[in-house]
């Protein structure tokens, strides 16, 4: 967001990558960007990386709108997921047994604003009985009794590994109980939610000293970065991967 007096100020901003970091790909810019190197926009993740791929500098000259906006989007081929995990769900009669193992990769900053794993049990009745053991953090049951929330907190332990084992049984399904057309039977998942301030997987950042603003005076510039999970799923390894088909219309 740019709060600058005067009409149509010109701003140039640069994204900086660490040495040997993978290049940015699939770059899409906001319509306020006035010009960029065409090679920057042609780098796509659909093709294998090679030496000719554009690897910067990533400069964006633009005329900012008055409201907040997303200057650009990009993808990057980071080497590993930040949190590695394994989820196993096995049905034994009227009960199910679950095991969840999570490991924070050693290259990831171990300082979270929050970190939790949510384990839904949709298309079943409410959880009637729960026995569990966690190596770290705490486990909570949602109000509608269809979701386990494993609060890991702001740090992983020194081992960087946490585990959860448990046995769950269910009551009678009611109309008000949550459903999910994907999460049926053994096709279940754990979804991770986390936020790490002052960190990115790519190491990409905005150098405040590289920001150029062509207006009188010296505006105040503030830059921050953070890593936030989006759709971060760990599927049940004891079941086949889910597939969803959409009907084709002629």
């Amino acid at each position: 967001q740019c709060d600058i007096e005067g009409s149509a100020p010109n701003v140039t901003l640069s994204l900086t990558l660490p040495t040997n970091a993978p290049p940015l790909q699939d770059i899409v810019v906001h319509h306020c960007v006035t010009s960029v190197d065409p090679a920057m926009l042609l780098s796509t993740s659909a093709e294998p990386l090679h030496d000719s791929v554009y690897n910067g500098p990533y400069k964006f000259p633009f005329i900012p709108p008055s409201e907040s906006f997303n200057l650009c989007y990009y993808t990057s081929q980071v080497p590993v997921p930040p949190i590695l995990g394994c989820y196993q769900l096995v049905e034994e009669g009227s009960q199910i047994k679950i095991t969840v193992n999570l490991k924070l990769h050693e290259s990831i900053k171990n300082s979270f604003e929050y970190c939790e794993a949510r384990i839904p049990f949709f298309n079943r009745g409410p959880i009637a009985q729960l026995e569990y053991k966690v190596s770290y953090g705490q486990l909570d049951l949602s109000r509608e009794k269809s979701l386990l929330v494993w609060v890991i907190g702001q740090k992983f332990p020194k081992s960087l590994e946490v585990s959860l084992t448990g046995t769950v049984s269910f009551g009678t399904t009611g109309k008000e109980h949550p459903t999910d057309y994907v999460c049926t039977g053994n096709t279940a998942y754990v979804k991770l939610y986390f936020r790490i301030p002052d960190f990115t997987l790519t190491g990409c950042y905005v150098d405040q000293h590289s920001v150029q603003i062509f207006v009188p005076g010296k505006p105040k510039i503030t830059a921050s970065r953070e890593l936030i999970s989006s759709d971060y799923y760990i599927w049940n390894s004891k079941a086949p991967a889910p597939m969803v088909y959409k009907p084709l219309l002629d």
Side-chain angles (χ1 to χ4, degrees):
Q1 182 175 3
C2 300
D3 186 9
I4 305 172
E5 293 183 358
S7 60
N10 288 293
V11 181
T12 298
L13 177 148
S14 296
L15 293 181
T16 303
L17 285 174
T19 306
N20 299 325
L24 305 182
Q25 297 175 286
D26 308 320
I27 297 174
V28 179
V29 299
H30 191 272
H31 60 77
C32 73
V33 175
T34 54
S35 66
V36 291
D37 190 322
M40 184 192 305
L41 303 180
L42 292 175
S43 179
T44 168
S45 58
E47 300 175 358
L49 283 174
H50 47 79
D51 294 339
S52 63
V53 170
Y54 189 90
N55 57 5
Y58 301 94
K59 287 191 174 183
F60 300 90
F62 60 97
I63 300 174
S66 57
E67 69 277 0
S68 297
F69 65 101
N70 294 311
L71 180 65
C72 70
Y73 295 90
Y74 59 82
T75 60
S76 179
Q77 297 183 18
V78 294
V80 293
I83 300 177
L84 303 170
C86 178
Y87 177 38
Q88 294 184 336
L89 178 150
V90 178
E91 296 200 36
E92 295 184 355
S94 60
Q95 294 183 330
I96 65 169
K97 291 188 175 182
I98 61 170
T99 302
V100 185
N101 294 306
L102 302 176
K103 181 178 181 181
L104 180 69
H105 193 269
E106 57 268 17
S107 65
I108 305 302
K109 181 181 178 182
N110 190 11
S111 180
F112 294 78
E113 186 173 314
Y114 59 82
C115 181
E116 65 182 41
R118 299 183 186 180
I119 311 168
F121 296 101
F122 301 140
N123 310 309
R124 302 175 186 267
I127 294 174
Q129 188 173 357
L130 170 65
E131 296 178 3
Y132 69 91
K133 180 181 180 181
V134 291
S135 67
Y136 194 78
Q138 67 181 53
L139 190 68
D140 298 324
L141 179 60
S142 66
R143 182 180 300 176
E144 70 277 7
K145 297 184 177 181
S146 63
L147 178 72
L148 297 180
V149 181
W150 181 12
V151 180
I152 297 167
Q154 296 181 317
K155 273 185 177 294
F156 274 67
K158 287 186 177 181
S159 66
L160 302 181
E161 297 184 33
V162 294
S163 63
L164 159 67
T165 57
T167 303
V168 187
S169 57
F170 302 89
T172 305
T173 304
K175 289 184 179 179
E176 73 286 352
H177 204 68
T179 60
D180 188 325
Y181 63 91
V182 172
C183 185
T184 59
N186 287 341
T187 307
Y189 59 80
V190 174
K191 189 173 183 182
L192 300 184
Y193 296 81
F194 57 85
R195 184 174 187 165
I196 305 177
D198 193 30
F199 182 80
T200 59
L201 288 178
T202 60
C204 185
Y205 65 96
V206 175
D207 183 356
Q208 291 180 213
H209 300 292
S210 74
V211 179
Q212 297 176 299
I213 305 176
F214 301 97
V215 292
K218 190 175 181 181
K220 179 183 177 183
I221 300 170
T222 302
S224 63
R225 56 183 183 167
E226 59 189 4
L227 176 66
I228 304 175
S229 63
S230 181
D231 293 327
Y232 203 117
Y233 293 94
I234 301 173
W235 296 97
N236 177 23
S237 63
K238 292 291 186 180
M243 300 183 69
V244 177
Y245 295 95
K246 292 185 177 180
L248 297 176
L249 300 177
D250 293 332

